[in-house]
Amino acid sequence: MNSELKGKWVFITGGSSGFGAAAARAFAAQGAHVVVVARRGDRLKAVAAECAEAGAASAHHHVMDVGSTASVNACIGWLRERTGRLDVLVNNAGGAHGVDTVAEGKDEDWEAMVQVNFLGVLRVTRAALPLLADTPGSLILNVGSVAGRAAYEGGSAYCGVKAAALQVTRALRLELCAAAIRVCTLDPGLAETEFALVRYKGDRAKADKVYEGIEPLRAEDIAETMVWMASRPPHVCIDEVVMKCTAQAAVHKVHRRLPAKGKGH
Ligand code: 8X3
């Protein structure tokens, strides 16, 4: 256990699955107070129970849609009734919808990605900032993506919103320098969560192909890194971390070990 995080309040968006749920369990294991929020209330309850089991000082959950200012503000109001302070805000909620080229792009996919990956980070941070302000060593940890640093075909909107989110992180780092609030981004590459399934709209075969022949990052790898970033001493800010599995040297350079094709009979 890392004493730096014991008794700290950690608020995690997109906490019902993937990176968010893994992060919640990891912070809980450090003895933190963990608050998980997401749209899916049923799964949140189970994650909060796992956090309590893992050793959280306390575990809380609440339904929140980062795509709605009213929902975000109501949730932060609920949080204020439980704690007057927040030590770590993890802006993790996000996701990709579709792999269409710009020519084939769907408005509803674009709009969903802008709401969650970009505006969501802004509105959750704005609402949570008053709770972070008076806590030495407090931290805003945004979950970005390698997609915000390099474009790829079919990723125009997702790469665009992740690049925008990276600039939000950088602007916040400047804005909050005098307040001594740390601002970090953790930008993963290929990681096996529900990400691909959501991107391919439930098509399991297509989603599985994304990870074929490689050992991708796991949600636990990301969570472990978040805990490391958050547990540095208050004078240390890990500004930007890019994290990829060993098989992914760059967005377009993925070495896949696929079984040799039969010669046919
Ligand atoms: C997910 C990583 O490379 O699929 O954010 O865009 S990638």
Side-chain angles (χ1 to χ4, degrees), residues 19 144-148 152 158-159 162 188-191 195 199 210-211 248 251:
F19 298 163
S145 169
V146 294
Y152 51 84
Y158 183 65
C159 295
K162 284 300 189 184
L190 290 167
F195 176 86
R199 172 168 247 181
V210 173
Y211 309 113
Q248 185 180 29
V251 165

Coordinates of all heavy atoms in Angstrom, one line a residue, residues 19 144-148 152 158-159 162 188-191 195 199 210-211 248 251, ligand 1:
F19 N -10.9 0.9 -18.0 CA -9.8 1.6 -17.2 C -10.4 2.2 -15.9 O -9.8 2.2 -14.9 CB -9.3 2.8 -18.0 CG -8.6 2.5 -19.3 CD1 -8.4 3.5 -20.2 CD2 -8.1 1.2 -19.6 CE1 -7.8 3.3 -21.4 CE2 -7.5 1.0 -20.8 CZ -7.3 2.0 -21.7
G144 N -6.2 10.3 -22.0 CA -6.2 10.6 -23.4 C -6.0 9.4 -24.2 O -6.5 8.3 -23.9
S145 N -5.3 9.5 -25.3 CA -5.1 8.4 -26.2 C -3.9 8.7 -27.2 O -3.7 9.9 -27.5 CB -6.3 8.1 -27.0 OG -6.1 7.2 -28.1
V146 N -3.3 7.7 -27.7 CA -2.3 7.9 -28.7 C -3.0 8.5 -30.0 O -2.4 9.2 -30.8 CB -1.5 6.6 -29.2 CG1 -0.7 6.1 -28.0 CG2 -2.5 5.5 -29.6
A147 N -4.3 8.3 -30.0 CA -5.1 8.9 -31.2 C -5.1 10.4 -31.1 O -5.4 11.0 -32.1 CB -6.5 8.3 -31.1
G148 N -4.8 11.0 -30.0 CA -4.7 12.4 -29.9 C -3.4 13.0 -30.4 O -3.1 14.2 -30.5
Y152 N -5.1 8.5 -37.9 CA -5.2 7.3 -38.7 C -6.5 7.3 -39.5 O -7.5 7.9 -39.0 CB -5.0 6.0 -37.9 CG -5.8 5.9 -36.6 CD1 -7.1 5.3 -36.7 CD2 -5.4 6.2 -35.4 CE1 -7.9 5.2 -35.6 CE2 -6.1 6.1 -34.2 CZ -7.4 5.5 -34.4 OH -8.2 5.4 -33.2
Y158 N -12.4 10.8 -33.8 CA -11.9 10.3 -32.5 C -10.5 10.9 -32.3 O -10.2 11.4 -31.2 CB -11.8 8.8 -32.4 CG -11.3 8.2 -31.1 CD1 -12.0 8.4 -29.9 CD2 -10.1 7.5 -31.1 CE1 -11.5 8.0 -28.7 CE2 -9.6 7.1 -29.8 CZ -10.3 7.3 -28.7 OH -9.8 6.8 -27.5
C159 N -9.6 10.9 -33.3 CA -8.3 11.5 -33.2 C -8.5 13.0 -32.9 O -7.7 13.6 -32.1 CB -7.5 11.3 -34.5 SG -7.1 9.6 -34.8
K162 N -9.6 13.6 -29.2 CA -8.5 13.3 -28.3 C -7.4 14.3 -28.4 O -6.7 14.6 -27.4 CB -8.0 11.9 -28.5 CG -8.9 10.8 -28.0 CD -9.1 10.9 -26.5 CE -9.9 9.8 -25.9 NZ -10.1 10.0 -24.4
P188 N -3.0 6.0 -23.6 CA -2.7 4.6 -24.0 C -2.9 4.4 -25.4 O -3.7 5.1 -26.1 CB -3.7 3.8 -23.2 CG -4.4 4.8 -22.2 CD -4.3 6.1 -22.9
G189 N -2.2 3.3 -25.9 CA -2.5 2.8 -27.3 C -3.4 1.6 -27.1 O -4.4 1.7 -26.3
L190 N -3.2 0.6 -27.9 CA -4.1 -0.5 -27.9 C -4.2 -1.2 -26.5 O -3.2 -1.7 -26.0 CB -3.6 -1.6 -28.9 CG -3.7 -1.2 -30.4 CD1 -2.9 -2.2 -31.3 CD2 -5.1 -1.2 -30.9
A191 N -5.4 -1.2 -26.0 CA -5.7 -1.8 -24.7 C -7.0 -2.5 -24.8 O -8.0 -2.0 -25.4 CB -5.8 -0.7 -23.7
F195 N -13.6 -1.0 -25.4 CA -13.4 0.1 -26.4 C -13.7 -0.3 -27.8 O -14.4 0.3 -28.5 CB -11.9 0.6 -26.3 CG -11.5 1.6 -27.3 CD1 -11.8 3.0 -27.0 CD2 -10.9 1.3 -28.5 CE1 -11.4 3.9 -28.0 CE2 -10.6 2.2 -29.4 CZ -10.9 3.6 -29.2
R199 N -16.6 0.7 -30.4 CA -16.3 1.4 -31.6 C -16.9 0.6 -32.8 O -17.4 1.3 -33.7 CB -14.8 1.4 -31.8 CG -14.3 1.8 -33.2 CD -12.9 2.1 -33.2 NE -12.6 3.5 -33.4 CZ -11.5 4.1 -33.5 NH1 -10.4 3.4 -33.4 NH2 -11.4 5.4 -33.7
V210 N -9.0 -6.4 -33.7 CA -8.1 -5.3 -33.3 C -6.9 -5.8 -32.4 O -5.8 -5.3 -32.5 CB -8.9 -4.3 -32.5 CG1 -8.0 -3.2 -31.9 CG2 -10.0 -3.6 -33.3
Y211 N -7.2 -6.9 -31.6 CA -6.2 -7.3 -30.7 C -5.6 -8.7 -31.2 O -4.8 -9.3 -30.4 CB -6.8 -7.5 -29.3 CG -7.6 -6.3 -28.9 CD1 -9.0 -6.3 -28.7 CD2 -6.9 -5.1 -28.6 CE1 -9.6 -5.2 -28.3 CE2 -7.6 -4.0 -28.2 CZ -9.0 -4.0 -28.1 OH -9.6 -2.9 -27.7
Q248 N 3.1 -2.6 -30.2 CA 2.7 -1.4 -30.9 C 3.8 -0.3 -30.8 O 3.8 0.4 -29.9 CB 1.4 -0.9 -30.4 CG 0.8 0.3 -31.2 CD -0.5 0.8 -30.7 OE1 -0.8 0.8 -29.5 NE2 -1.3 1.4 -31.6
V251 N 1.2 4.1 -33.9 CA -0.2 3.8 -34.2 C -0.4 2.9 -35.4 O -1.2 1.9 -35.4 CB -1.0 5.2 -34.5 CG1 -2.3 4.9 -35.1 CG2 -1.2 5.9 -33.2
Ligands
8X3_1 C1 -7.5 4.0 -28.1 C2 -6.2 3.8 -28.8 O1 -5.1 3.4 -31.1 O2 -7.3 2.5 -30.8 O3 -7.7 5.3 -27.6 O4 -7.0 4.8 -31.1 S1 -6.4 3.6 -30.5

